[in-house]
Amino acid sequence: MRIVVGIKWVPNTQAVRFDPETGTLIRKGVPSIVNPHDLPAVEAALRLREKTGGEVIAISMAPPPAVKGLELVLGMGVDRAILVTDRAFAGADTWATSYVLSHAIRKIAAEIGEVDLAIFGHETIDSSTSHVQAQVASWLDWPYLYYVKRVEPVGGKLLRVWRELEDYEEEYEVETPAVLSIAIKAFKPRPVSLSSKLRAKLEKRVLTWTNADLKLDPRCVGLKGSPTIVAKTIDMPEVPRKKEVYRPKDGKDAARWIIAKMVHDEKLREVLKGLVGGEL
Amino acid sequence: MNKFDVVVVGAGPAGSTAAYLLAKAGLKVLLLERGRGAGSKLLWGGKAYAQPLRDVWPELDKEAPIHRWVTKERISVLWGERAITLEYKLGRRVAFTSPLTELAAWMARKAEAAGALFLDEVVVEEIVVKDGRVVGVRSGGDFVAADVVIDAEGANRLLLEKLGLADRPNPYHMAVAAKEVISLDPRLIEERFGLERDEGLSWLVLGDVTLGIPGGGFVYTMRDTISIGIVLNVGYGAEAAEKGVLRDHISRLLENFRTHPYFRHYWKEADVIEYGGRMTVEGGLRFAPKRLYANGLLVVGDAAGMLVNAGYTIRGVDTAVTSARVAAEAVLEARDKGGFTEENLRGYEERLRKSYVYKELVDHSGVAEIFGDPFFFSKVPPFLVRAASKVFEADYAEPTLLEALKTSAQEEEINMLRLMLKVGRVVRRI
Amino acid sequence: MSQPSRLRPLKLEELLRRNVWDVDEERHIEILRQDGLPQKALQLLCPMGCYSMAGDKLLMSYEGCVECGTCRVLSTPQQIRWEFPKSGRGIQYRYT
Ligand SMILES: Cc1cc2nc3c(=O)[nH]c(=O)nc-3n(C[C@H](O)[C@H](O)[C@H](O)COP(=O)(O)OP(=O)(O)OC[C@H]3O[C@@H](n4cnc5c(N)ncnc54)[C@H](O)[C@@H]3O)c2cc1C
Ligand code: SF4
């Protein structure tokens, strides 16, 4: 089985600081990381490969420093990585991103070999749209399953896939090629291993593709190919944090105490109202 | 594929030096680092002595991330709002400042450029011994074989402890630091500290910045940042905490230092951009492992105790580099003798003993011992400051220096004779 | 005029917000046994304030740890399990 995993190189949002004087985000010196929710997707791909054989290819549309992120997933055991990078791709929204990624997947199929599965993380910590996966599936015209928490090969082109929903789960049989997006924390990512790192480094397993390779219409990629318009951004009020210790008698007592807190705390009520969009 | 001539554990100054020299000599070298990139786990005060580094990289002055050449050394004794400061203006380029994150990254790049294979994000979990000799390292389930392993893991010697070559350290032999990086326009740094472009300052502070607990404060000027920190001996610090002498968190001591009226104008209007901590060794020789070399193994840098720390000043980078250089020479010598047996690696310790590092360590071991004496941190500073105040803050006739010292000693309940003896011992061994 | 981060004393929490970590989901340091731990020393000397009291017990939050090893030398292996975070995770110093 040949599995492609999408990796996003994102600013480490927990380290991005807000400058109250200028009202902007301070990103200077903040290193980027692999989107944490992509790591369970990598893990899912690696486990599937362990069962079916084949290879896992990580792919990322990102500026060149993202090579560090691809090295991390290579260190986890991914077989090779492709960095799709070009000035022309900069400023892409999810539409243009998925367009480029789907073409990269097609190119993998054409040049490396048939692709059976494309796996993504559930969402990214810097934008949380969860659009790209679905759009890639649309461009490729492949079936798409999300909130996936378990995947098992059945044989032939069939996979059994379990989706996790609020209070039940669904079981599917899906024919490959397909696109899956993995539920947050569904798989515990393995640490980087010495042998995988070594292999990645010695065998130079990162390929770089630019638009000279993909040959996409410049009007369809990057900022030009992005129909999304950010109309307005609203900052959520910061929830003031307080620390209080309460020793409940039992679960019920604990719940009662928390609810009472929420109802009686002015600030919290404001925030909740904002979230619900009306009276409580 | 999984076989190297040399595996070096840790891409700190010591590890990268060894990897650089051995790769340059044509050996197949693997340099392993647990952090993301070399330097990402490192923090220091900020000053490196250049000559020992030039011995390895003659191109140092041109290529290394040198922020400023130290032209001013200051030592202050602080008690309350009063301070005595001694300043020395240097006459030549002896030491430079740089963030260790940058300096260590540069050293690792040099090693890579020389042909060493550098892998980051890899935690080595074990140095593997078979039939009485070290045969490689293990990380996770993976084993990598090596003819010789160089342990450059730094002060947290998890690997040497596992091997039984070192014990868990005595807290009194360790010191912990909290440090802030303050961002400031280079021109303001120069203006406020009285420096020319590319000139830097190194400033050590003793006294109640540590509440009299053995340790001290430091200030180093980088190009566009200032590094300030508080160092506390872990053993004495813990004792002070349990006894209630130390009631505030170490970061609070640093805050008090940063906002102290004597210092705060230097970084007025400036912002703290990073805060961190790291532990270091105090009193190098006492920290040396049971052996510095064994069949197929050499220990270098902090892990080997190759660090001069007299409580208030820490000097470990040049000594780490030198110990690693000496180790690399010993490895090449052993190769020419036909193998990395204990016998053939003996040259390491012999060469080390002849190097300045060893002399420095031996000479300073006494100082470390003496400065391990809390007396110097809790009693001497208030005494000196009090004596100075008598001389400089006399409304009418000022006392002679001797009178000032005598009465201050009485007031601080210090036995002059005991003091003289102790000072005499320090001066002889400093 | 408000001076958000200039010069005035900063709280530890504010200082920590200036740093970068890539926090692992798995904890690399864990208290195994409470007896005999130097509670005050751990609270005051851990530079990142990772140790705090919850009732009469010490609580260890590994997220802000900079892997300095101080708590390690103040305890025994039976009291605290101490490892390095894997895969380059943990503190990412930039200017130190
Ligand atoms: C607060 C403070 C201030 C200081 N100020 C100065 C100063 O002004 N001047 C000076 O010269 N010295 C100073 N020092 C000392 C100096 O920083 C050290 O002596 C020096 O860094 C030692 O170099 P090293 O290579 O031996 O070890 P380290 O620099 O500690 O490097 C060890 C490396 O090994 C890695 N590592 C450890 N274990 C493993 C493992 N199991 N697997 C993989 N990788 C591993 C670590 O991540 C690290 O990168 C200071 C130290 C401190 C703490
Ligand atoms: S290793 Fe250092 S930073 Fe981490 S918890 Fe222990 S004392 Fe705190």
Side-chain angles (χ1 to χ4, degrees), chain C residues 49-60:
Chain C
C50 293
Y51 289 85
S52 58
M53 295 304 289
D56 57 354
K57 284 209 164 85
L58 264 181
L59 193 75
M60 195 274 158

Side-chain angles (χ1 to χ4, degrees), chain B residues 42-47 67 97-102 176-182 216-222 225-232 249-255 257-258 272-279 314, chain C residues 10 12 15-16 18-19 45-48 66 91 93-96:
Chain B
L42 299 181
L43 171 154
W44 71 336
K47 176 179 82 174
H67 278 208
T97 65
S98 171
L100 191 52
T101 42
E102 268 182 54
V176 57
K179 155 168 169 169
E180 289 173 355
V181 180
I182 300 171
F218 60 73
V219 178
Y220 293 94
T221 58
M222 308 287 159
T225 59
I226 304 168
S227 152
I228 72 168
I230 292 284
V231 186
L232 290 182
H249 187 253
I250 182 166
S251 68
R252 182 61 36 205
L253 300 189
L254 180 52
E255 286 301 303
F257 178 31
R258 182 161 58 79
V272 176
I273 55 169
E274 196 163 24
Y275 169 81
R278 184 160 168 242
M279 191 178 59
I314 308 173
Chain C
L10 291 163
L12 186 58
L15 286 170
L16 298 191
R18 282 149 170 72
N19 291 1
L45 292 184
C46 164
M48 312 314 279
V66 293
I91 186 68
Y93 281 136
R94 297 159 297 160
Y95 313 114
T96 52

